């Protein structure tokens, strides 16, 4: 996670030659970085897809993405580029079928190989049988996914497929699979209603009853999850997987001085299954955590913890006054982005009496994406901004809500209580940042 004054220059690439030169230079720096860190060169093979997670690697990977994507746009021209873009829902449909019919578990992994190479592949007929669908469409799904290097045809055996690094990830990582499944199931269905939803209420922005999700399923997302325990479990797993991406937990533990809180209490407001508190509790053995959530489904997915009672769980509605007073930290993580400004103001205001007990020793930490904007800066690359905008759109579709910039956080905080003051911002160009807030009367 990077401090607020960190800015990445956005380049306007102009020529094929200059882009090619940048790509070549960045690619050789990546090769040197890999070899000097004894990191194996990434490949598409099973087990070959691990890339380094470090600030140095990101500083090369991100501009290489910008340059490579722009080079492709330039050499393909708008007609080919847009054609590809416009047809991408068919690619997603193939992934949707593969997830629905559990293709990723029907092709054996190298792990199960008995040594003769025969155990790591499956014919279209075998996959179709296990998936309970016809061979023709099974083959078409596998071939479509293979164009993205998700599965591949075994050389010399055109009707036989094996895993690649990407398909193996979906086979092995249950939480990542849950995230993919959630996106390709409810979220893609809801997303297709976005424009219809806007047409039906063109001026009613920012309300969960005017979200595409509501348009598609007839009820707000969290009520829907309460009514579908399997989907609530999948959601909790998806959130856990999401937190592994881009080092979110590492960033959160590194960016704030948790160690200085001594034997303090951290209240994890809307903490879901408690995965963040549990990770922090493992790292900071003096701290105690209270994970609060309205959903007993979420709390029931909470890991039984070996942490000697330092992580406790409490059912609580964060629109109601905060029952744990005078804690060291109130962590509000990936919650405000679920709400429009009016509701975010109510959630923040409900915390004020608890912060007033020991204002100088208490912090509110908002752990959410901090969007770039012209007021508070934070310019990112196009590649990075695209990620942030995708998640912002996700909030619009799912909940009629949004991600916020520092300026927008400041506005909702001040509406909740004029004494709220942002004291520090850690930006993360690829994901979740951190906003540290206090009640100014504490000074
Ligand atoms: C997007 S999840 C974030 C979970 C967790 N903080 C994290 O970062 O992984 C939002 C959480 O808010 C919970 N929630 C929704 N409405 C709530 C309410 N009124 N009071 C308390 N929790 C609520 C949901 O059950 C869900 O676990």
């Amino acid at each position: 996670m990077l401090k607020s004054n960190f800015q990445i220059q956005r380049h306007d690439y102009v020529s094929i030659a200059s882009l090619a030169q940048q790509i070549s230079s960045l690619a050789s720096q990546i090769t040197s970085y890999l070899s000097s860190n004894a990191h194996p060169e990434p490949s598409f093979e099973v087990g070959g897809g691990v890339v380094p997670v470090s600030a140095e690697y990101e500083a090369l990977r991100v501009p290489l993405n910008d340059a490579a994507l722009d080079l492709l746009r330039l050499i393909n021209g708008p007609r080919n580029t847009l054609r590809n873009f416009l047809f991408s829902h068919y690619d997603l449909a193939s992934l949707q079928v593969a997830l629905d019919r559990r293709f990723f578990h029907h092709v054996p992994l190298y792990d199960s190989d008995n040594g003769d190479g025969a155990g790591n592949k499956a014919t279209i007929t075998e996959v179709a049988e296990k998936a309970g669908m016809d061979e023709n469409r099974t083959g078409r799904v596998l071939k479509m996914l293979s164009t993205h290097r998700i599965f591949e045809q075994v050389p010399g055996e055109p009707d036989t497929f094996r895993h690649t690094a990407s398909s193996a990830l979906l086979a092995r990582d249950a939480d990542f699979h849950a995230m993919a499944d959630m996106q390709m199931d409810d979220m893609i269905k809801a997303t297709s209603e976005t424009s219809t939803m806007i047409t039906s209420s063109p001026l009613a922005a920012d309300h969960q009853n005017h979200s595409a999700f509501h348009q598609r399923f007839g009820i707000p997302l969290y009520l829907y999850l309460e009514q579908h325990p399997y989907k609530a479990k999948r959601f909790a797993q998806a959130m856990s997987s999401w937190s592994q991406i881009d080092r979110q937990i590492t960033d959160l533990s590194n960016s704030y001085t948790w160690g200085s809180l001594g034997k303090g209490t951290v209240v994890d407001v809307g903490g879901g299954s408690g995965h963040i508190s549990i990770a922090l509790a493992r790292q900071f053995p003096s701290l105690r955590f209270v994970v609060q959530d309205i959903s007993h489904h979420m709390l029931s997915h909470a890991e039984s913890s070996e942490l000697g009672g330092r992580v406790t769980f409490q059912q609580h509605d964060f629109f109601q006054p905060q029952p744990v007073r005078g804690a060291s930290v109130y962590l509000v993580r990936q919650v405000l982005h679920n709400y429009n400004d009016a509701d975010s103001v109510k959630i923040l205001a409900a915390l004020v009496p608890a912060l007033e007990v020991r204002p100088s020793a208490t912090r509110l930490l908002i752990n959410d994406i901090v969007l770039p904007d012209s007021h508070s800066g934070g310019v990112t690359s196009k590649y990075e901004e695209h990620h942030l905008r995708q998640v912002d759109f996700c909030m619009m579709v799912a909940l009629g809500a949004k991600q916020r910039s520092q300026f927008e956080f400041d506005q909702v905080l001040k509406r909740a209580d004029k004494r709220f003051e942002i004291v520090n911002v850690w930006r993360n160009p690829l994901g979740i940042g951190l906003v540290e807030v206090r009640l100014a009367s504490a000074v």
Side-chain angles (χ1 to χ4, degrees), residues 319 336 339-349 404 412 416:
F319 286 102
L336 296 180
Y339 293 93
N340 61 24
D341 287 350
D343 285 341
S344 296
V345 167
K346 286 183 199 154
I347 293 168
L348 293 167
R404 293 179 174 83
V412 286

Side-chain angles (χ1 to χ4, degrees), residues 323-341:
V324 181
R325 305 279 169 123
S328 301
V329 163
Y330 294 88
L331 175 65
V332 180
R333 182 177 189 278
Q334 298 210 281
V335 164
L336 296 180
H337 70 184
N338 287 347
Y339 293 93
N340 61 24
D341 287 350

Side-chain angles (χ1 to χ4, degrees), residues 13 15-17 19-20 23 65-76:
Y13 301 118
S15 74
I16 290 173
L19 287 168
I23 292 166
N65 267 278
D66 267 350
L69 290 168
D70 269 351
L71 179 66
L72 290 174
R73 290 183 190 113
L74 268 190
I75 62 166
N76 287 327

Side-chain angles (χ1 to χ4, degrees), residues 12 50 75 86 123 134 136 151 258 324 336-337 349 366 372 410 419:
D12 282 324
V50 180
I75 62 166
L86 293 171
T123 61
D134 63 285
N136 175 275
F151 296 118
W258 300 98
V324 181
L336 296 180
H337 70 184
I366 302 172
D410 196 45
R419 294 168 295 167

Side-chain angles (χ1 to χ4, degrees), residues 222 225-226 235 239-240 243 268-276 292-295 298 316-319 331-335 337-339 367 432:
Y222 285 109
L225 293 178
E226 280 302 294
F235 181 81
M239 289 304 297
S240 174
S243 69
D268 189 354
V269 182
S273 63
H275 62 110
I276 295 293
Q292 298 175 334
D293 206 279
I294 198 166
S295 160
M298 288 294 161
H316 168 63
D317 176 356
F318 47 51
F319 286 102
L331 175 65
V332 180
R333 182 177 189 278
Q334 298 210 281
V335 164
H337 70 184
N338 287 347
Y339 293 93
N367 193 200
I432 296 182

Side-chain angles (χ1 to χ4, degrees), residues 416-427:
D417 193 303
K418 286 202 170 16
R419 294 168 295 167
F420 270 137
E421 183 182 80
I422 294 178
V423 283
N424 219 339
V425 177
W426 289 261
R427 289 180 188 282

